[in-house]
Amino acid sequence: MDIKRLLTALLLSFIFIVTWNVFFPPATQTVSTTNAKQEKPFDKDLINETKQAVNPIKLTQQPNQVSAVYEDGGAPISINTPLIELDLINGGTSIHNLRIVEQGSDNTYRHKGNWNLNTQEYNKNSPVQLLNEALCNPCLLIDAEIKSFVVVEMVEEQDVNKYKKIISQSNDGLIKETYIYNNSYTIDHVFKNLPTNKNITVLWDQGLLPSEKMANDDMLYFSIYAQNNESYEEEYLSSVENGEIFEFNDNVGWAGIKSKYFMKAITNNDYQYKKAEQVIFQTYNDYIIEGTQIINSDMSFYYRGEDLINQELKVSSYMGPIDTRHLQVEESKHLVQLFGFGWFFIGYLGQGIMWLLTSLYAIIPNYGLVCVLFAFIIRFFTGPLTKKSFLSNQKMQAIQPKLKKIQTKYKNDSGKLNQEIMNLYKNEGVNPLGGCLPILVQMPLLIALFQVFRKTIEFRGASFLPFWITDLSQPDVIIYLPFLKEIWGINYFFGHGIALLPIIMGVVMFLNMKMTTTNNINPSQASTMYIMNGFFILLFNTFPSGLNLYYTVYNILNFLQQKKLQKISS
């Protein structure tokens, strides 16, 4: 194979895979950052005042109160389900703390890992915590005045789907009903007796807590989003400034904030028709973890009282994993697209890959082995393309002496040179693109694989080999050198440590290129080959070990096939 064509094909593959998300994010647009059109938009001072106003209030015994008696000082209400643990304040209307306690097949926490912001330590065995001492999730404001509630009643529902209903009331007769379900991350919030002649705001604060050990990687995925017709608009927080305000003014049915694997999404009841007049996000620098600035956002949903039916407003919150198993249900299926499978054909291909991975896991309950088996399956389908590419390259190698004669003979006549080269290709039955075309054909598959393997929550915390790869969503670091974090440029690739799989894959790729290229390449071409291999090792050192495991096995199988084809043709 001609080394220049090989390197060109690899470079094109890299460009397509890495830059796809940058230039073609799924249905995202730049959102407006103008001032809110409400008379009293939420500026930061108002948000701070609101947060101070809803410190746990003193709950007093009411005549019709049938719930448990709470101690003076307004202790948070704690509720546990098989999926989440909640602490609620403001009369049980607002989520104060939220931890994910869903169990995996091994009867341990399915989603583990959280940061202790005081000690800057990552607790890898603790359950993921999405909210910690939040004050408004949600808070109800009428004409920008916060409403305080007390618990009126707590009801255990007999329906298997409902776990608990909390009924709360304000001193002016507003009712808040909170429905917490036994088998869902969705919580319903119903406000009743709302005034019809005032502006109504529902405030959700604190955004989300980071959950990943590589905080800089998690921050790259932090984004705010809001409904735009059948799709959504999105803004990544890593690229915004502190205090920046984003408005969505097109009658928003649902909106929220998400990290790499988790989300907080707010959906209006019957969201296709009953919209928020406006949704405003206000970003802020939250804190710093290991040198990474964490940027978060409060979000405010604005409604007009005259637009409400029967003085009632119902919204649903989904606070949990971006997991298609939980999102496929009716009340949250519109959020599946936030996984980001990609556009058009790429998206359908990504969904097919996800289905195949989860189906294989049902048979082989180890995602590491699933990755290995998946590499064999993909090689089965791409093997014929590889064979075709190899045979095309062999033909190109065979006509090299004739090609050089033509280039020498017509070196001063470019028109005649091109004509004679095309005649040579035609007479010898050689396609000059035959070596690269099979690789280009595989690019949609490579892009889809990259999307799925980089983002699938199935790999998060999944172990392959306990003595080596213990989390398929993280690089398989074998050497940790803390001083690399301090070297600009190097810290991006090796700040977390040196992984083994990228090195193995780089060696295999080098051997593969060495075997399929001519023995008489010039030194500059050899240097280019070494640089490309080094670059891939650098790049893949930041990738999840699940993705690297797949690519490594795939490249080993490719090497073995090339070696076999070479023996047959020699």
Side-chain angles (χ1 to χ4, degrees):
M1 179 189 292
D2 182 81
I3 185 64
K4 290 183 178 179
R5 292 189 298 111
L6 174 63
L7 294 177
T8 299
L10 289 173
L11 185 59
L12 285 173
S13 299
F14 164 74
I15 292 173
F16 265 79
I17 295 173
V18 176
T19 62
W20 181 266
N21 282 336
V22 176
F23 294 103
F24 302 103
T28 60
Q29 303 175 19
T30 302
V31 300
S32 168
T33 58
T34 58
N35 290 328
K37 64 180 180 180
Q38 302 287 344
E39 292 182 2
K40 297 181 179 181
F42 266 142
D43 57 23
K44 197 63 179 178
D45 290 337
L46 180 55
I47 291 175
N48 289 333
E49 291 174 5
T50 299
K51 290 181 178 180
Q52 293 172 7
V54 291
N55 282 320
I57 62 174
K58 182 177 181 179
L59 298 176
T60 57
Q61 186 78 357
Q62 300 292 322
N64 59 345
Q65 185 175 1
V66 294
S67 59
V69 177
Y70 294 95
E71 63 182 2
D72 290 342
I77 302 169
S78 296
I79 293 179
N80 299 336
T81 78
L83 299 180
I84 54 178
E85 291 180 350
L86 295 172
D87 296 322
L88 299 106
I89 58 174
N90 195 11
T93 65
S94 180
I95 303 170
H96 190 50
N97 299 306
L98 189 149
R99 296 167 293 278
I100 297 179
V101 295
E102 180 182 356
Q103 299 287 300
S105 57
D106 56 354
N107 295 320
T108 62
Y109 294 127
R110 177 175 170 81
H111 304 293
K112 294 182 287 188
N114 65 57
W115 283 95
N116 185 320
L117 300 180
N118 295 322
T119 63
Q120 292 279 295
E121 294 179 349
Y122 186 75
N123 305 312
K124 65 179 183 179
N125 295 318
S126 298
V128 166
Q129 184 158 7
L130 300 185
L131 295 175
N132 182 32
E133 298 185 355
L135 299 176
C136 283
N137 278 277
C139 284
L140 175 69
L141 291 91
I142 306 296
D143 278 349
E145 178 186 349
I146 185 117
K147 293 297 177 179
S148 297
F149 291 84
V150 293
V151 173
V152 174
E153 184 178 4
M154 296 178 65
V155 180
E156 288 277 353
E157 293 290 340
Q158 298 303 316
D159 187 334
V160 67
N161 293 322
K162 291 182 179 179
Y163 179 76
K164 192 176 292 288
K165 177 173 71 172
I166 303 174
I167 303 174
S168 309
Q169 184 173 344
S170 69
N171 57 10
D172 54 356
L174 301 179
I175 299 294
K176 164 75 188 303
E177 295 178 355
T178 306
Y179 294 83
I180 302 169
Y181 298 94
N182 199 43
N183 59 351
S184 174
Y185 286 99
T186 297
I187 299 174
D188 287 335
H189 309 264
V190 183
F191 300 92
K192 296 183 176 181
N193 299 340
L194 296 173
T196 58
N197 59 345
K198 295 184 179 181
N199 291 324
I200 297 165
T201 305
V202 180
L203 169 65
W204 304 79
D205 76 342
Q206 200 187 73
L208 284 176
L209 294 175
S211 57
E212 304 311 300
K213 186 175 182 180
M214 293 176 61
N216 59 334
D217 184 50
D218 201 16
M219 191 64 229
L220 289 175
Y221 289 87
F222 261 62
S223 65
I224 57 176
Y225 56 86
Q227 179 194 22
N228 175 24
N229 297 320
E230 297 299 318
S231 187
Y232 65 99
E233 298 180 4
E234 184 170 17
E235 184 74 27
Y236 284 89
L237 296 182
S238 58
S239 61
V240 306
E241 297 180 0
N242 180 34
E244 195 165 351
I245 295 175
F246 295 90
E247 292 184 13
F248 297 87
N249 298 305
D250 299 326
N251 294 322
V252 181
W254 50 271
I257 182 170
K258 66 185 178 76
S259 59
K260 185 174 183 179
Y261 294 116
F262 301 93
M263 74 165 79
K264 176 166 72 175
I266 313 304
T267 302
N268 299 320
N269 181 39
D270 197 9
Y271 67 91
Q272 295 289 10
Y273 303 100
K274 297 178 182 178
K275 311 285 190 177
E277 179 72 11
Q278 183 183 58
V279 175
I280 294 179
F281 292 84
Q282 181 154 0
T283 63
Y284 56 93
N285 292 343
D286 210 352
Y287 37 76
I288 296 176
I289 294 179
E290 293 190 335
T292 297
Q293 177 68 65
I294 304 299
I295 301 174
N296 247 312
S297 179
D298 296 323
M299 51 184 171
S300 306
F301 289 69
Y302 292 86
Y303 305 87
R304 294 184 301 183
E306 58 264 32
D307 294 337
L308 302 179
I309 299 176
N310 297 325
Q311 298 178 270
E312 181 176 302
L313 172 64
K314 178 180 177 181
V315 299
S316 297
S317 64
Y318 179 96
M319 300 186 192
I322 307 177
D323 186 339
T324 54
R325 294 184 307 113
H326 292 291
L327 294 176
Q328 293 287 5
V329 297
E330 183 65 28
E331 61 267 22
S332 56
K333 64 181 181 181
H334 58 282
L335 301 174
V336 172
Q337 59 186 303
L338 295 174
F339 179 88
F341 285 107
W343 277 4
F344 307 120
F345 176 70
I346 301 295
Y348 291 111
L349 194 57
Q351 292 180 53
I353 291 171
M354 176 66 78
W355 173 84
L356 181 56
L357 288 173
T358 53
S359 298
L360 290 173
Y361 182 76
I363 303 171
I364 308 172
N366 183 305
Y367 269 113
L369 293 177
V370 167
C371 289
V372 174
L373 179 58
F374 190 74
F376 276 86
I377 293 173
I378 298 301
R379 280 302 305 168
F380 176 80
F381 289 103
T382 60
L385 291 175
T386 302
K387 182 177 180 180
K388 185 175 180 180
S389 176
F390 179 84
L391 295 176
S392 177
N393 290 324
Q394 290 293 100
K395 290 182 180 179
M396 284 295 296
Q397 294 290 344
I399 67 169
Q400 285 301 308
K402 295 180 181 180
L403 184 61
K404 289 181 179 180
K405 287 182 180 180
I406 293 174
Q407 290 172 338
T408 301
K409 184 176 181 179
Y410 298 104
K411 62 181 179 180
N412 297 322
D413 188 348
S414 58
K416 186 67 174 176
L417 174 63
N418 291 332
Q419 182 180 352
E420 290 298 320
I421 290 177
M422 294 306 297
N423 289 335
L424 176 64
Y425 288 156
K426 183 178 180 180
N427 294 334
E428 298 291 338
V430 174
N431 181 359
L433 298 178
C436 296
L437 192 58
I439 297 177
L440 296 175
V441 169
Q442 295 178 57
M443 281 189 178
L445 176 62
L446 293 174
I447 296 169
L449 285 168
F450 184 81
Q451 295 274 45
V452 172
F453 278 73
R454 280 280 275 179
K455 296 180 180 180
T456 177
I457 199 170
E458 262 61 11
F459 288 166
R460 189 182 186 277
S463 175
F464 174 39
L465 298 174
F467 56 87
W468 177 22
I469 301 175
T470 58
D471 187 345
L472 290 166
S473 71
Q474 299 292 325
D476 61 312
V477 174
I478 56 171
I479 301 175
Y480 178 66
L481 302 174
F483 70 90
L484 294 178
K485 287 185 178 181
E486 310 302 324
I487 305 175
W488 185 86
I490 296 296
N491 59 353
Y492 176 80
F493 297 103
F494 293 107
H496 58 281
I498 299 174
L500 177 59
L501 279 172
I503 297 174
I504 297 173
M505 183 167 55
V507 171
V508 174
M509 291 177 65
F510 172 79
L511 293 174
N512 196 38
M513 282 193 282
K514 188 89 170 174
M515 178 178 60
T516 56
T517 54
T518 56
N519 294 324
N520 55 347
I521 61 174
N522 60 50
S524 64
Q525 290 177 325
S527 299
T528 304
M529 184 170 63
Y530 297 142
I531 292 172
M532 283 292 293
N533 270 275
F535 181 71
F536 273 101
I537 292 174
L538 281 174
L539 181 67
F540 279 77
N541 194 69
T542 66
F543 286 1
S545 54
L547 178 64
N548 286 342
L549 179 61
Y550 162 79
Y551 277 137
T552 300
V553 175
Y554 183 90
N555 278 282
I556 290 173
L557 295 175
N558 182 64
F559 172 77
L560 294 175
Q561 183 187 23
Q562 294 275 29
K563 193 168 185 179
K564 181 179 179 180
L565 289 172
Q566 193 176 54
K567 287 182 179 180
I568 294 174
S569 61
S570 60

